[in-house]
């Protein structure tokens, strides 16, 4: 359990104070994978650093597993940090130590002998899939392997929390996927709470249970990933989500869309499927039952946390009363449908 | 060159080795920790302390800007206090060490500053104390740079030690001046210069090799890779 209460952080720069965090409150239950997304400069890096006090918040409290971290200093703070693992965008491995010795480092810092620490580090390298690479130096490892070493190192002191600071931002998409899968496995196997910050929507979509959207040092949106993604309310969230689930309409369609229904014009509908409804052949049923034609202008199905989410834009061709009945039917199936506008029937020929 | 002259050359060589070895060891023992303090107390570092940092920085700069030949004579009372005499090889070691300490401190500071701040942050996140950060992160990571710094120091001390003749410190430089120059024996001068060149070359290449061996940042092909 991680609790952030009214965190603020103000940096004093030459041009005056910069308010990086403006009262952030969060509660992250044990075992959750919690994502924080924001654009660069939103304050997400500062936020995650406040959890282990790499940055001391200007005001507010941080409580991890019932212990108020913000009340600790010196030795007590260092002890508390053993229970909070962290991985970094640029891995931050010691170039002078082998993979095994990097993983052993936190144990040595906790006062164990080097031999003892090494013995404890070996199974961790196996856990992250680097069994044969004990003696390799970071320079001899790929980016993905380095991050695996980073993860093993973060797990060495058996933390209850793992902080991930843009942990996949320096990796290619395929390696990102592999690292996220590993994090998910670790989360399930060890019951670790994971707090992950990123500017990449796919990362959140892939492994997070809940997400907070940070903008100008404030949380503008917070909730289960599926809800935030499929019905974003904040402008910044919409922008993040756009490429993923809410793609913009093609420009030539927008140009032809007319708001008022005109004679001979066909309505353009956006139908949103989510959850189980995405698995039923509603479209086919509409066509068969109401005798209208559906001309698909844009379609997309995505999976968020394994749940399907579809977004289809169609031009409905048919008699007005049949189209109205179709809309009614679609709504009765728990699908969201909205009329975006109308296109003139003859304009189609032009397009 | 006569056998007697060769004997003199050997003695001078050994004196130079002794002066340089002792003074560089002492300078490293004091200078490297001083470099650590200079880095650690600098703004935003693990033990920020602006006043201490500024004072130490000023002392180090003062030490570095004093010409060695002046330092040599200026600290004669101190040398006498320490080794009981101001003449001879042992007496020369004192000013050599004192001149080298600020030099080592600045070079060590530069090498330690090269360590990626991300590593310090990672160590802090793991609960490392400032002392642990120094011994487990800063120094091991800067080791190739520190070895390079010490190599430069040794080479410099070899050159400085030639001036130790001014206090009767002996050594190759002294031999070259007294026999090669004052007695006009060009072959002695030449021999001294050649020995010094070989010595410096040797020190530099050993230092380079050790630094390279310690540097794990570069990928080297390994037989079992």
């Amino acid at each position: 359990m991680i609790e952030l209460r009214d965190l603020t952080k103000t940096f004093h720069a030459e041009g005056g104070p910069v308010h990086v965090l403006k009262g952030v409150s969060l509660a992250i239950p044990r075992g959750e994978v919690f994502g924080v997304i924001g654009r660069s400069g939103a304050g997400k890096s500062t936020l995650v650093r406040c959890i282990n006090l790499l940055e001391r918040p200007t005001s507010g409290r941080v409580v991890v597993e019932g212990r108020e971290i913000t009340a600790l200093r010196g030795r007590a703070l260092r002890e508390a940090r053993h229970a909070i693992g962290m991985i970094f965008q640029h891995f931050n491995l010691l170039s002078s130590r082998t993979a095994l010795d990097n993983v052993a480092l936190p144990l040595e810092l906790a006062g164990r002998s080097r031999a003892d620490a090494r013995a404890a580090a070996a199974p961790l390298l196996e856990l992250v899939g680097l069994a044969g690479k004990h003696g390799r130096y970071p320079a001899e490892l790929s980016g993905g392997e380095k991050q695996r070493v980073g993860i093993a190192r973060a797990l060495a002191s058996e933390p209850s929390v793992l902080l991930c600071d843009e942990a996949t931002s320096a990796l290619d998409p395929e390696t990102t996927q592999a690292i996220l899968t590993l994090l998910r496995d670790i989360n399930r196997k060890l019951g670790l709470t994971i707090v992950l910050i990123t500017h990449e929507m796919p990362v959140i979509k892939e492994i997070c249970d809940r997400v907070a959207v940070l903008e100008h040092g404030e949380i503008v949106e917070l909730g289960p990933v599926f809800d935030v993604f499929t019905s974003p309310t904040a402008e910044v969230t919409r922008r993040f989500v756009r490429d993923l689930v809410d793609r913009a309409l093609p420009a030539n369609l927008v140009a032809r869309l007319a708001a008022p229904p005109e004679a001979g014009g066909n309505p353009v509908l956006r139908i949103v499927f989510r959850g189980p409804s995405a698995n039923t052949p509603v479209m086919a049923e509409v066509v068969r039952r109401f005798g209208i034609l559906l001309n698909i202008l844009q379609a997309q199905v995505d999976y968020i946390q394994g749940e399907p989410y579809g977004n289809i834009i169609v031009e409905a061709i048919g008699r007005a009363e049949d189209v109205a009945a179709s809309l009614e039917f679609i709504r009765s199936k728990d699908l969201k449908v909205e009329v975006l506008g109308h296109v003139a029937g003859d304009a189609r020929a032009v397009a | 060159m006569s056998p007697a002259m060769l004997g003199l050359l050997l003695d001078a060589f050994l004196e130079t080795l002794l002066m340089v070895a002792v003074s560089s060891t002492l300078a490293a023992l004091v200078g490297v920790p001083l470099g650590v303090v200079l880095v650690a107390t600098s703004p935003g570092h693990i033990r920020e302390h602006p006043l201490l940092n500024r004072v130490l920085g000023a002392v180090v700069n003062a030490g570095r800007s004093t010409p060695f030949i002046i330092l040599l004579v200026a600290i004669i009372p101190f040398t006498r206090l320490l080794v009981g005499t101001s003449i001879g090889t042992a007496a020369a070691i004192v000013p050599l060490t004192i001149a080298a300490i600020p030099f080592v401190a600045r070079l060590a500071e530069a090498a330690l500053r090269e360590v990626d701040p991300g590593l310090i942050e990672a160590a802090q996140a793991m609960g490392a104390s400032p002392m642990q950060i120094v011994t487990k992160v800063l120094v091991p990571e800067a080791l190739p740079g520190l070895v390079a710094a010490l190599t430069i120091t040794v080479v410099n001390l070899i050159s400085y030690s030639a001036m130790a003749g001014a206090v009767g410190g002996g050594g190759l430089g002294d031999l070259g001046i007294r026999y090669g120059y004052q007695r006009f024996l060009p072959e002695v001068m030449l021999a001294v210069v050649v020995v010094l060149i070989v010595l410096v070359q040797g020190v530099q290449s050993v230092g380079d090799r050790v630094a390279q061996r310690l540097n794990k940042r570069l990928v080297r092909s390994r037989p079992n890779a």
Side-chain angles (χ1 to χ4, degrees):
Chain A
M1 178 82 178
I2 302 173
E3 255 187 290
L4 309 181
R5 275 184 232 149
D6 217 17
L7 282 191
T8 70
K9 177 73 187 180
T10 305
F11 288 108
H12 294 280
E14 269 170 52
V18 182
H19 304 283
V20 180
L21 295 178
K22 302 171 193 164
V24 172
S25 295
L26 276 178
I28 303 168
R30 181 188 278 253
E32 185 170 77
V33 181
F34 188 87
V36 178
I37 192 165
R39 289 179 290 184
S40 45
K44 52 191 193 303
S45 208
T46 305
L47 180 64
V48 78
R49 279 171 167 68
C50 278
I51 298 177
N52 61 1
L53 247 57
L54 283 180
E55 296 278 5
R56 194 171 271 279
T58 307
S59 71
R61 303 211 287 169
V62 176
V63 181
V64 177
E65 302 291 334
R67 181 147 54 158
E68 191 185 338
I69 304 290
T70 33
L72 306 175
R73 284 182 183 277
R75 179 183 291 272
L77 172 61
R78 294 199 289 271
E79 301 266 312
R81 279 175 176 162
H82 292 311
I84 307 173
M86 189 167 189
I87 59 174
F88 303 86
Q89 178 173 7
H90 298 296
F91 326 119
N92 295 354
L93 301 178
L94 268 63
S95 68
S96 56
R97 283 178 173 242
T98 61
L100 186 68
D101 286 340
N102 263 290
V103 179
L105 179 62
L107 299 169
E108 287 174 37
L109 293 175
R112 290 166 72 168
S113 73
R114 181 162 286 201
D116 192 18
R118 273 186 181 158
L124 285 163
L125 274 182
E126 266 142 58
L127 176 73
V128 299
L130 290 178
K133 312 244 167 165
H134 289 196
R136 296 300 176 87
Y137 287 94
E140 301 170 312
L141 298 172
S142 70
E145 288 171 333
K146 282 184 219 176
Q147 196 56 290
R148 284 170 191 271
V149 175
I151 291 169
R153 181 176 71 175
L155 296 177
S157 52
E158 296 178 13
S160 56
V161 173
L162 179 64
L163 307 177
C164 308
D165 181 11
E166 296 276 8
T168 57
S169 299
L171 303 174
D172 62 62
E174 205 175 313
T175 314
T176 295
Q177 188 61 43
I179 292 295
L180 293 179
T181 306
L182 174 64
L183 287 175
R184 222 345 162 189
D185 283 353
I186 286 165
N187 162 255
R188 292 202 178 125
K189 229 181 265 177
L190 309 176
L192 207 66
T193 310
I194 296 182
V195 181
L196 178 154
I197 68 158
T198 182
H199 62 273
E200 297 172 322
M201 220 49 188
V203 169
I204 300 279
K205 192 184 87 170
E206 193 61 37
I207 68 163
C208 292
D209 301 313
R210 286 195 307 149
V211 62
V213 182
L214 202 65
E215 174 82 338
H216 303 308
E218 284 169 303
I219 291 178
V220 291
E221 198 144 352
L222 173 71
V225 172
F226 196 88
D227 296 353
V228 171
F229 271 44
T230 55
S231 24
T233 55
E235 177 54 32
V236 59
T237 319
R238 250 183 239 142
R239 246 176 293 151
F240 270 124
V241 164
R242 189 163 298 153
D243 290 335
L244 214 61
V245 291
D246 195 16
R247 208 172 277 169
L249 297 177
N252 68 338
L253 177 63
V254 175
R256 290 187 295 133
L257 270 182
E262 29 181 303
N266 294 320
V268 173
L269 315 175
R270 181 204 293 275
I271 304 167
V272 177
F273 302 79
R274 47 182 296 181
S277 65
N279 294 326
T280 53
V282 178
M283 304 289 276
E285 218 177 323
V286 166
V287 172
R288 215 178 45 204
R289 209 188 265 220
F290 302 97
I292 64 168
L293 294 174
L294 294 175
N295 175 27
I296 296 179
L297 302 172
Q298 193 183 60
Q300 195 182 0
V301 178
D302 212 316
Y303 289 83
I304 301 168
Q305 296 177 292
E307 240 190 293
Y309 176 78
N311 198 334
I312 301 183
I313 292 171
V314 294
E315 176 187 0
I317 306 162
R319 292 185 310 166
E321 56 267 36
D322 290 338
V323 171
S326 304
L327 287 181
E328 206 54 47
F329 175 76
I330 294 170
R331 288 201 179 100
S332 76
K333 293 289 180 187
D334 267 347
L335 300 186
K336 240 167 57 179
V337 58
E338 58 178 317
V339 179
L340 297 174
H342 292 74
V343 283
D346 53 353
R348 234 167 0 116
V350 182
Chain B
M1 219 186 312
S2 66
M5 207 41 95
L6 276 178
L8 277 179
L9 191 65
L10 182 66
D11 285 348
F13 178 67
L14 292 176
E15 281 164 1
T16 294
L17 276 193
L18 181 70
M19 282 190 287
V20 171
V22 175
S23 58
S24 22
T25 306
L26 292 176
L29 288 176
V30 181
V32 172
L34 195 55
V36 169
V37 175
L38 279 172
V39 169
T41 57
S42 64
H45 219 278
I46 49 176
R47 266 276 185 241
E48 200 174 333
H49 197 307
L51 181 67
L52 180 62
N53 189 264
R54 239 171 299 148
V55 170
L56 276 183
V59 171
V60 164
N61 281 345
R64 287 188 61 201
S65 40
T66 311
F68 181 65
I69 197 78
I70 292 177
L71 184 83
L72 199 60
V73 291
I75 64 160
I76 280 176
F78 178 69
T79 305
R80 196 172 287 147
L81 187 77
L82 225 57
V83 292
T85 171
S86 61
I87 301 165
T89 307
I93 287 171
V94 178
L96 282 174
T97 305
I98 288 178
I101 287 172
F103 189 73
V104 173
R106 278 294 181 215
L107 288 178
E109 183 193 6
L112 292 162
R113 236 180 246 297
E114 286 294 300
V115 175
D116 179 1
L119 299 184
I120 297 166
E121 193 182 53
Q124 283 173 328
M126 287 176 227
S129 68
M131 199 57 189
Q132 284 178 321
I133 291 175
V134 170
T135 58
K136 298 267 184 193
V137 179
L138 277 181
V139 172
E141 283 292 302
L143 208 50
L146 290 174
V147 168
L150 291 180
T151 307
I152 296 174
T153 307
V154 171
V155 169
N156 260 356
L157 280 173
I158 291 172
S159 143
Y160 278 15
S161 73
M163 281 186 257
V167 293
L172 287 166
D174 187 34
L175 184 76
I177 291 290
R178 282 194 291 126
Y179 287 76
Y181 178 67
Q182 288 164 350
R183 296 193 189 177
F184 202 68
L185 294 170
E187 69 274 18
V188 175
M189 186 65 97
L190 185 67
V192 163
V193 171
V194 168
V195 170
L196 282 174
I197 288 174
V198 171
L199 184 59
V200 168
Q201 207 69 252
V203 167
Q204 190 65 53
S205 63
V206 168
D208 285 349
R209 202 163 310 162
V210 173
Q212 204 189 358
R213 177 77 57 87
L214 290 170
N215 189 351
K216 307 294 184 189
R217 259 171 280 183
L218 305 167
V219 186
R220 254 182 300 277
S221 55
R222 34 160 81 202
N224 61 344

